[in-house]
Amino acid sequence: MRIYGEEHPNQEILSRIATNDGHGENSSYFDGWKAYENDPFHLTDNPTGVIQMGLAENQLSLDLIQDWMKKNPQASICTEEGVSEFKAIANFQDYHGLPAFRKAIAQFMEKVRGGRARFDPDRIVMSGGATGAQETIAFCLADPGEAFLIPTPYYPGFDRDFRWRTGVQLLPIHCHSSNKFKITQAALETAYRKARNSHIRVKGILVTNPSNPLGTTMDRDTLRTLVSFVNEKRMHLVCDEVFSGTVFDKPSYVSVAEVIQDDPYCDRDLIHIAYSLSKDLGVPGFRVGVIYSYNDAVVSCARKMSSFGLVSSQTQHLLASMLGDEEFTTSFLATSRTRLCGRRRVFTDGLKRVGIHCLDGNAGLFCWMDLRPLLKEATVEAELRLWRVIINDVKLNISPGSSFHCSEPGWFRVCFANMDDTAMKIALRRIENFVYRENDAAVQAKNKRKWDETLRLSLPRRFEDPTIMTPHLMSPHSPLVQAAT
Amino acid sequence: MRIYGEEHPNQEILSRIATNDGHGENSSYFDGWKAYENDPFHLTDNPTGVIQMGLAENQLSLDLIQDWMKKNPQASICTEEGVSEFKAIANFQDYHGLPAFRKAIAQFMEKVRGGRARFDPDRIVMSGGATGAQETIAFCLADPGEAFLIPTPYYPGFDRDFRWRTGVQLLPIHCHSSNKFKITQAALETAYRKARNSHIRVKGILVTNPSNPLGTTMDRDTLRTLVSFVNEKRMHLVCDEVFSGTVFDKPSYVSVAEVIQDDPYCDRDLIHIAYSLSKDLGVPGFRVGVIYSYNDAVVSCARKMSSFGLVSSQTQHLLASMLGDEEFTTSFLATSRTRLCGRRRVFTDGLKRVGIHCLDGNAGLFCWMDLRPLLKEATVEAELRLWRVIINDVKLNISPGSSFHCSEPGWFRVCFANMDDTAMKIALRRIENFVYRENDAAVQAKNKRKWDETLRLSLPRRFEDPTIMTPHLMSPHSPLVQAAT
């Protein structure tokens, strides 16, 4: 297919938005997708193609939904059993949404949070995926030029969703591996002060919980720190909880909804949640986003804005039935978590065998993989060089930390739930082979050069990570494998 | 259901957009909807309730779609016959859309235009209904503060869709009943000059063709005038063609697509079409909007923006099959047009019997009804007084011309395709009774007052319309009936 208009021959007649690159697609994050699309792996048709590990997609439990649909033909307006609802549903365009849909979504959000938080169906506002939810929230809360603070690393899509058409800024709260990228009060204060010193009005904080890309959940204390901070400064806290149904391991999930329920001093007008079914159910094509605000004016305004991205009534109707089936959702969530947990374990165990570590994670569809030992130097350039090798030679599309605004080079997000077991095995084998090859190269280099030169030019950063400072480091086969033993 | 947040207790922490009323819902157009919602007509449950004639909805041919679905279970991912496609479709989130969907939409757009215009599937960009299409176009073409010219009367939703979040202005091109509200070169020049004199940069013209609210189609000469004008001034022409499939009578429809095909001098980078299936198929709940631009950069940018309002893949998949069925679409369009034509005739004939006229129309789901003879004076206030009587006493929600920015008081848009035959009969009876009552009141007034006083105070404007200047005017039963004979 021809893609039109990559150039802008008529800049003067279009808008600034149309002629700048605020959409954020000029990023290695999206370049990786393109590399995959140009040469997509297929077990039989293109076995040497690029394996897509840059897309946080949940394909592991779609069979459960498919089975449910076979058993519930009445839930669809396209079946003999359900078609009598067709006219009413096809015509339904009230931006409040189908009452049964709102109720089912609220129920599902409660179930995902273990019943520890309550959600009012009348506060459920629809949006075109989490993408639309984020933009709507930004339009409601901030004027152009105003800013939200956001802990790094963060999801690159926010640059489009939250900023592009709204003119709102995102300013980093720098987080570090030294404390597993947790947000601290000090980091918050630093980011806030820096903005104020630049005369930028800070309107709030945007976080993902579970974190994309870290695959971790926020602890209760961190959430309390954030809630206190926004109350003290009278600004907003936006929690993107689109991965809340993927928490597959301890510690158990704590939503901001739960924290503020227990906090009589919190001004709830400042708290907003973005949700979506794309990740938890694995149905991104259905474009189901949700804005859940505790602020009445935001609910009212966001609902008016929802006209720009309502969920298809055909989809609302189907999901109202499906999410209203408590037995199904209970069983779906349990099975989905078990499968995600199993898949992550297969992947991280495989990585460990070649000495690669990931940040400890308990949620999400991805690992935050530490390739700092493989960097030639601790720079973004070196990270991107390594990334290009991985894309072009190893044929895996993984996403470099710099595309997530990470302040430490060498981290990569690797998605593990958008493929079958076979593709996962092949991906792991490619990584193993790559590591062996790198090590062989290092050994050869050793034989040619002096020891200290090898250390400086070839693998200098390995020694910055104490976890791999072992006597086996330069084993002829795999220092990283040895380090992990 | 409780509706949250009609007040703004926390203005200082929200955005200007969230705290102004740029959404346009504070209009008699939407107040009418609310009046209906508070007391909706139902043949048996609430026979004295308000009949909704303020909603341009097409309910007349949904049975055809329903029949098609029964015969084509494989088209849905929710049936035994189609569920094998479920995983691939639920996961599909490419913003280019399903290739089969884009192809089917392009085919359908060609068919609607009698095959006289060609559409390239690769230029079809999805949006959340025409609402999303209009906003996307505005974001692509103009910066905040810049303006589009728009002929009056125009669809009130544009104030939300085109202006609210974009900051773009809409400036009226005043059109008048004297030439059936046609756009003239002189009116165009006047509007353009006025904007320039106010130092406002005009970026384009936005028109609806067929017109909402007029129910008329634009002639080829007017379209040529518009195309020449935008080429001369180097600005954009945006044609909203969401009612193009409803043209049910002569003259046959001319799309801007057809006009520019025949015009070698037109710079196509300036031409953009908004389309939707909501009106032509009667499926507004499905949220299918389309941006069709001849400008490559706009196609590329709008596609990136489409992330905020993609069509559910479940819906894309279904419609790809349905609109790809040429036999069905041919027959659907023919039957739908016949039914719309018949319904309009029933309605306008009924109105004529009581002396009420509508602008001659050949398209749309509404009439542009002339109640100038019933106004006490030619003002917006008088129009709104009459409108309140019609809503509250006659129990019909029709939309006053002032909510469409019409510069002549006394016109009303009345929708006729969102109800069954019985409701239509009841609506007509209510109008008849109202007119009889008004006339009786006029006669009583005549008996009480002097002739000239009656003329001045009670029915002065009737005499401004020569079509009802007949000797029967003050007949005891119905001057308007008599005038129409």
Side-chain angles (χ1 to χ4, degrees), chain B residues 245-261:
Chain B
T246 69
V247 182
F248 49 75
D249 210 346
K250 289 185 178 166
S252 65
Y253 183 58
V254 185
S255 162
V256 71
E258 197 182 330
V259 169
I260 64 167
Q261 265 177 198

Side-chain angles (χ1 to χ4, degrees), chain B residues 99-120:
Chain B
F101 174 70
R102 267 186 288 126
K103 184 165 168 248
I105 289 268
Q107 265 177 16
F108 187 68
M109 288 175 75
E110 289 177 0
K111 179 157 288 182
V112 156
R113 287 154 189 81
R116 294 179 301 276
R118 311 304 301 173
F119 292 96
D120 175 356

Side-chain angles (χ1 to χ4, degrees), chain B residues 178-404:
Chain B
S178 54
N179 72 341
K180 299 188 170 180
F181 296 98
K182 277 191 191 172
I183 307 167
T184 62
Q185 176 86 27
L188 269 177
E189 296 280 3
T190 304
Y192 181 73
R193 212 169 33 243
K194 195 175 166 196
R196 293 297 294 261
N197 290 344
S198 305
H199 307 288
I200 297 168
R201 181 167 180 203
V202 180
K203 286 300 272 292
I205 303 173
L206 168 60
V207 298
T208 56
N209 178 32
S211 165
N212 178 4
L214 300 177
T216 56
T217 52
M218 223 172 249
D219 58 46
R220 198 178 294 266
D221 280 348
T222 305
L223 278 164
R224 283 190 182 133
T225 301
L226 288 166
V227 167
S228 295
F229 192 84
V230 299
N231 271 277
E232 185 192 309
K233 309 286 191 205
R234 199 153 167 73
M235 60 165 77
H236 300 279
L237 176 60
V238 176
C239 291
D240 184 307
E241 301 190 345
V242 302
F243 291 97
S244 46
T246 69
V247 182
F248 49 75
D249 210 346
K250 289 185 178 166
S252 65
Y253 183 58
V254 185
S255 162
V256 71
E258 197 182 330
V259 169
I260 64 167
Q261 265 177 198
D262 304 335
D263 181 354
Y265 303 108
C266 174
D267 178 355
R268 294 187 181 198
D269 277 350
L270 305 175
I271 311 295
H272 321 274
I273 295 172
Y275 186 53
S276 152
L277 298 181
S278 301
K279 309 302 182 183
D280 287 356
L281 288 187
V283 294
F286 287 7
R287 311 311 302 143
V288 183
V290 169
I291 297 145
Y292 192 91
S293 175
Y294 294 86
N295 183 316
D296 295 352
V298 172
V299 171
S300 169
C301 181
R303 189 159 276 145
K304 291 182 178 80
M305 290 186 182
S306 72
S307 300
F308 298 110
L310 294 170
V311 177
S312 168
S313 56
Q314 183 194 12
T315 300
Q316 284 185 55
H317 182 72
L318 177 71
L319 292 174
S321 281
M322 193 167 74
L323 299 185
D325 180 345
E326 296 259 10
E327 200 178 322
F328 170 72
T329 54
T330 304
S331 136
F332 175 87
L333 284 169
T335 308
S336 170
R337 286 164 175 157
T338 305
R339 290 181 184 176
L340 286 170
C341 191
R343 174 57 71 80
R344 183 181 160 113
R345 189 160 302 138
V346 164
F347 184 59
T348 52
D349 285 354
L351 292 180
K352 275 184 200 154
R353 282 196 297 275
V354 290
I356 297 175
H357 289 267
C358 295
L359 189 74
D360 280 347
N362 63 329
L365 311 170
F366 33 72
C367 298
W368 189 237
M369 184 170 72
D370 183 3
L371 293 190
R372 287 178 299 169
L374 294 181
L375 288 198
K376 308 288 182 195
E377 57 185 29
T379 63
V380 170
E381 292 68 34
E383 175 181 289
L384 291 176
R385 271 199 301 277
L386 175 60
W387 172 70
R388 277 188 285 271
V389 169
I390 295 171
I391 291 253
N392 297 328
D393 300 347
V394 190
K395 297 290 188 79
L396 299 177
N397 174 36
I398 63 175
S399 310
S402 53
S403 68
F404 291 82

Side-chain angles (χ1 to χ4, degrees), chain A residues 98-276:
Chain A
L98 289 170
F101 174 70
R102 267 187 289 125
K103 186 165 168 247
I105 289 269
Q107 264 176 17
F108 187 68
M109 288 175 74
E110 289 178 0
K111 178 156 288 181
V112 157
R113 286 154 190 81
R116 295 179 301 275
R118 311 303 302 171
F119 292 96
D120 175 355
D122 290 348
R123 288 187 183 278
I124 300 284
V125 175
M126 287 182 281
S127 63
T131 297
Q134 287 298 343
E135 186 186 60
T136 298
I137 289 172
F139 268 125
C140 286
L141 303 184
D143 289 327
E146 293 181 338
F148 267 67
L149 305 179
I150 184 165
T152 64
Y154 71 81
Y155 167 57
F158 283 148
D159 290 331
R160 174 194 59 202
D161 305 348
F162 209 83
R163 299 190 324 175
W164 187 28
R165 306 197 305 184
T166 65
V168 174
Q169 301 186 66
L170 288 175
L171 304 177
I173 302 165
H174 290 292
C175 299
H176 301 279
S177 61
S178 54
N179 71 342
K180 299 188 171 180
F181 296 98
K182 276 192 190 172
I183 306 166
T184 62
Q185 176 86 26
L188 269 178
E189 295 281 2
T190 304
Y192 181 73
R193 210 167 35 241
K194 194 175 167 196
R196 293 296 294 261
N197 290 344
S198 306
H199 308 288
I200 296 168
R201 183 167 178 202
V202 179
K203 286 300 273 291
I205 303 173
L206 168 61
V207 298
T208 56
N209 178 31
S211 165
N212 178 4
L214 299 178
T216 56
T217 52
M218 222 172 249
D219 59 46
R220 197 178 294 266
D221 280 347
T222 305
L223 277 164
R224 282 190 182 134
T225 301
L226 288 166
V227 168
S228 295
F229 192 84
V230 298
N231 271 276
E232 186 193 308
K233 310 285 191 205
R234 199 154 167 71
M235 60 165 77
H236 300 278
L237 177 59
V238 176
C239 293
D240 183 306
E241 301 191 345
V242 302
F243 291 97
S244 46
T246 68
V247 182
F248 49 74
D249 209 347
K250 288 183 178 168
S252 66
Y253 184 57
V254 185
S255 161
V256 71
E258 197 182 330
V259 169
I260 65 166
Q261 263 176 199
D262 303 336
D263 181 353
Y265 302 108
C266 173
D267 178 355
R268 295 187 180 199
D269 277 349
L270 305 176
I271 311 295
H272 322 273
I273 295 172
Y275 187 54
S276 152

